[in-house]
Amino acid sequence: MASVSEMYDVTWEEMRDKLRKWREDNHRNSEQIVDVGEELINEHASKLGDDIWIIYEQVMIAALDCSRDDLAWAARKRKISILKAQGKSAEAIRELNEYLEQFVGDQEAWHELSELYINEHDYGKAAFCLEELMMTNPHNHLYCEQYAEVKYTQGGLENLELSRKYFAQALKLNNRNMRALFGLYMSASHIAASPKVNATVKKANVKYATWATNQINRAYQLAGRGTKENKCSVKAVEEMLESITMS
Amino acid sequence: MGEVELSCLAYVKMYLHACLFPRCSVNGLLLSSSPAGGAVCVTDCVPLLHTHLPLAPITQLALTQVDVWCAQTQQRIVGYYQANACVSDSSPTPCALKIADKIAEQCNNAVLLMIDGGKMSPDYRVPPIVMYERKDTRWTLKDKHTIMLQQWEETRDIASQLLDSGDHSLLVDFDSHLDDITRDWTNQKLNAKIAELASPANGNV
């Protein structure tokens, strides 16, 4: 199929100017806007300078009008990627939030948003995103494990206990997830070492930590048998586990 | 303050780590096999993460394991490096400062090294790094003249060679190790390759 520029013998500048005219005159000729806009974005994005933002918006709205969800999403996604690459996290976060209000089921977007929040050290909001993901993907061990890591980072006894539970859950879903195994070991150890817990809780957590230690040792023994390469890392883990005593 | 020397091995691995994950922020630890006191000689580095740098558990785990390995091999952790995903901003992030602070608790003249992504073009003439040292409680920019890179041009060429040959994919960081624990985060194999390229037999010193 011929491109717009070929069919109408126009340059990209003329296409851009046409879009501007349609914006100014408030035309809702969505199909035309989609045709011209899509080509402009795909072929000439780098030449558009600051105009690109408003063109994305215009194309997005027109695309939704024409039920071109793919284009609407592509335009929005590209805008968010650019914002991220420019280090404009706050704007990227805002755009993603707006997008998710409409497309609440988009997993990739929720995950993207959780990553952005983590980088901004907004762990509460990151946890919220991961909770959404866990709800819709209860069998995904990675979401459980990431949620546990966020909780651990937030700190405090309650969060540590939650993190331990979710590391354990991740392991149930995938017993080879080493991050979850180490996470279980570390969260349980910290809880056991806390002066705020009673003897029963302490005992239980020592048990969890010991179990994790054995699993870790086993995993490394198995791994070490294969190659000479990771001799150093195996030794480091062994010593680490030995040196941390459960009192 | 004091002088800092950066070895070929440390620089090449840091650089390759940043190249291996161009769209991510990466970080790692700087090690020294020299005794404390006097100039800081960074003789090696351990690449740590390329995902979720601000999250605590894996960072803590890595710090502990590297500590243990250092004790076994007569090395010390003397610094921290990071390369930001966003190349236009090479300033230390809050998590970089936090980890660097922790290292400074154990090591007096610890250094914080940021890789400047904006300066990493194929024909860069100066090392694309910015160093910070601790003065009182703040991390301040270090005078470029106190940073020594022996045989800079040879070092840079070794890094390029490894990129061209695809050998940079040999590099294992702690994140990759957790994905597959048969992979060695001490990078013995890559170290050997770098040593080989740096040996006098190859015309480099």
Side-chain angles (χ1 to χ4, degrees):
Chain A
M1 200 182 115
S3 65
V4 169
S5 48
E6 284 168 8
M7 279 203 299
Y8 297 97
D9 191 20
V10 288
T11 61
W12 72 266
E13 291 99 328
E14 288 169 308
M15 288 164 71
R16 175 201 61 195
D17 293 342
K18 201 67 181 194
L19 277 180
R20 183 184 302 140
K21 184 159 196 317
W22 288 334
R23 278 198 307 274
E24 284 163 5
D25 295 347
N26 234 320
H27 277 184
R28 284 296 283 260
N29 49 337
S30 304
E31 288 207 13
Q32 277 184 302
I33 293 176
V34 162
D35 283 340
V36 174
E38 189 174 17
E39 190 171 313
L40 212 51
I41 292 175
N42 285 339
E43 315 282 327
H44 306 286
S46 52
K47 304 189 198 84
L48 295 168
D50 276 337
D51 277 348
I52 193 135
W53 303 120
I54 196 121
I55 290 175
Y56 273 141
E57 287 282 343
Q58 187 180 11
V59 171
M60 217 151 59
I61 295 168
L64 290 171
D65 263 354
C66 302
S67 303
R68 283 287 307 273
D69 287 347
D70 61 319
L71 180 58
W73 172 214
R76 205 155 206 159
K77 198 173 174 181
R78 213 172 289 196
K79 185 173 178 186
I80 293 167
S81 303
I82 296 178
L83 286 170
K84 269 178 69 177
Q86 291 179 328
K88 296 186 175 151
S89 318
E91 277 114 325
I93 288 174
R94 197 176 46 234
E95 283 287 325
L96 258 177
N97 270 303
E98 263 178 43
Y99 171 79
L100 281 167
E101 271 169 36
Q102 266 183 305
F103 295 94
V104 79
D106 191 325
Q107 316 288 307
E108 207 188 309
W110 278 112
H111 198 245
E112 188 79 49
L113 188 55
S114 77
E115 303 264 327
L116 284 171
Y117 279 132
I118 289 172
N119 281 325
E120 296 299 302
H121 305 275
D122 197 338
Y123 302 122
K125 299 214 179 87
F128 178 79
C129 297
L130 287 162
E131 281 160 10
E132 281 290 328
L133 285 166
M134 288 194 295
M135 234 179 18
T136 48
N137 301 272
H139 300 296
N140 186 317
H141 65 107
L142 293 173
Y143 294 150
C144 275
E145 183 255 299
Q146 280 174 25
Y147 181 74
E149 283 194 53
V150 171
K151 284 292 153 194
Y152 184 105
T153 309
Q154 282 181 293
L157 193 55
E158 216 177 285
N159 284 325
L160 269 179
E161 293 199 307
L162 259 176
S163 91
R164 191 206 64 228
K165 290 197 176 116
Y166 279 91
F167 279 130
Q169 179 63 9
L171 276 171
K172 252 202 225 151
L173 295 169
N174 180 345
N175 61 4
R176 286 158 68 176
N177 185 328
M178 287 311 292
R179 285 185 181 80
L181 196 46
F182 275 115
L184 176 61
Y185 165 72
M186 286 167 62
S187 50
S189 310
H190 275 110
I191 296 169
S194 163
K196 295 187 193 153
V197 300
N198 63 38
T200 324
V201 172
K202 196 177 165 111
K203 199 162 163 212
N205 280 281
V206 168
K207 221 176 74 176
Y208 301 138
T210 310
W211 179 84
T213 306
N214 293 332
Q215 296 299 308
I216 293 171
N217 268 322
R218 247 185 57 188
Y220 272 88
Q221 292 307 324
L222 276 170
R225 230 166 265 161
T227 61
K228 275 200 197 123
E229 222 176 59
N230 65 340
K231 202 174 42 146
C232 305
S233 34
V234 171
K235 272 195 80 191
V237 168
E238 279 175 2
E239 255 212 48
M240 175 189 93
L241 295 174
E242 270 174 44
S243 70
I244 301 180
T245 51
M246 303 288 134
S247 53
Chain B
M1 269 198 166
E3 278 187 0
V4 178
E5 211 181 287
L6 194 57
S7 75
C8 171
L9 183 67
Y11 175 81
V12 171
K13 286 202 293 193
M14 261 191 331
Y15 180 81
L16 293 183
H17 192 202
C19 292
L20 198 53
F21 302 104
R23 280 192 274 277
C24 306
S25 294
V26 300
N27 67 4
L29 299 173
L30 301 173
L31 310 181
S32 175
S33 53
S34 314
V40 175
C41 291
V42 178
T43 49
D44 197 358
C45 74
V46 174
L48 290 186
L49 308 176
H50 57 269
T51 58
H52 299 147
L53 270 62
L55 292 183
I58 306 303
T59 302
Q60 280 180 12
L61 177 69
L63 277 166
T64 311
Q65 281 206 30
V66 175
D67 236 344
V68 169
W69 182 61
C70 280
Q72 291 170 351
T73 52
Q74 282 87 47
Q75 297 182 87
R76 309 173 291 129
I77 300 178
V78 294
Y80 169 87
Y81 75 82
Q82 184 169 308
N84 291 334
C86 177
V87 294
S88 57
D89 178 16
S90 66
S91 51
T93 57
C95 96
L97 296 171
K98 213 164 161 202
I99 301 175
D101 277 341
K102 206 140 206 284
I103 295 173
E105 278 170 23
Q106 305 290 329
C107 170
N108 257 338
N109 35 16
V111 288
L112 167 55
L113 193 157
M114 296 299 294
I115 298 178
D116 189 344
K119 298 212 175 83
M120 273 171 69
S121 59
D123 53 354
Y124 55 104
R125 287 212 207 100
V126 291
I129 61 182
V130 182
M131 251 197 225
Y132 297 79
E133 62 189 351
R134 237 182 117 136
K135 279 201 178 124
D136 303 319
T137 50
R138 302 194 60 218
W139 289 92
T140 48
L141 218 47
K142 217 172 148 49
D143 177 5
K144 278 196 197 80
H145 297 106
T146 57
I147 305 168
M148 313 286 167
L149 256 149
Q150 306 288 5
Q151 316 291 338
W152 160 239
E153 272 158 17
E154 284 82 356
T155 300
R156 183 193 59 195
D157 292 342
I158 291 173
S160 300
Q161 266 185 281
L162 289 167
L163 267 179
D164 289 338
S165 61
D167 279 331
H168 66 301
S169 57
L170 284 174
L171 186 122
V172 181
D173 68 2
F174 204 77
D175 251 339
S176 309
H177 167 76
L178 289 176
D179 289 334
D180 175 0
I181 56 173
T182 60
R183 301 188 73 197
D184 168 31
W185 52 261
T186 67
N187 286 292
Q188 300 300 312
K189 229 185 187 170
L190 185 59
N191 287 357
K193 267 228 151 59
I194 295 171
E196 199 187 297
L197 288 173
S199 80
N202 277 328
N204 299 320
V205 168

